[in-house]
Amino acid sequence: MKSYEKMVEVNRIRSERMENTAIEVMRKKYESQEQVSIVALVEETGLSRGFFYKNERVRTELRRLQKLQAEMDFTVTRK
């Protein structure tokens, strides 16, 4: 039973680290006025798309930042 409890604890710590990494990258992108998108986050963090959709804490922060960016224009105009 002890090994199971240890495994659960290790997985919880690993999951928290992944959540913190994802949220940190999202906030950095927002602060540097880059578009916060799942595609860009997957490339930068190496986490799966499913992680961003399934993890409640990460998904909430993602939606919050995307709402703040709703009025921003990220299209690139060529001359």
Side-chain angles (χ1 to χ4, degrees):
M1 200 61 156
K2 281 202 177 233
S3 65
Y4 175 76
E5 292 169 358
K6 176 124 175 118
M7 181 182 68
V8 169
E9 180 65 20
V10 168
N11 286 340
R12 185 189 61 76
I13 290 169
R14 192 172 126 233
S15 179
E16 277 183 21
R17 245 186 261 139
M18 291 188 319
E19 286 176 4
N20 292 337
T21 299
I23 290 172
E24 182 180 318
V25 170
M26 284 189 281
R27 289 179 180 165
K28 283 182 183 176
K29 284 189 152 310
Y30 176 76
E31 289 169 5
S32 64
Q33 296 186 348
E34 294 178 49
Q35 186 173 13
V36 179
S37 69
I38 291 183
V39 173
L41 294 169
V42 166
E43 287 178 11
E44 195 164 332
T45 62
L47 300 169
S48 69
R49 293 173 61 94
F51 178 82
F52 289 96
Y53 289 115
K54 292 178 183 177
N55 189 295
E56 184 67 33
R57 185 173 154 223
V58 172
R59 186 176 67 229
T60 302
E61 182 67 8
L62 176 65
R63 286 185 180 158
R64 185 184 75 81
L65 293 175
Q66 286 177 333
K67 281 182 184 178
L68 292 173
Q69 287 186 334
E71 300 299 318
M72 297 174 127
D73 183 21
F74 294 102
T75 57
V76 177
T77 55
R78 296 182 185 197
K79 294 182 180 180

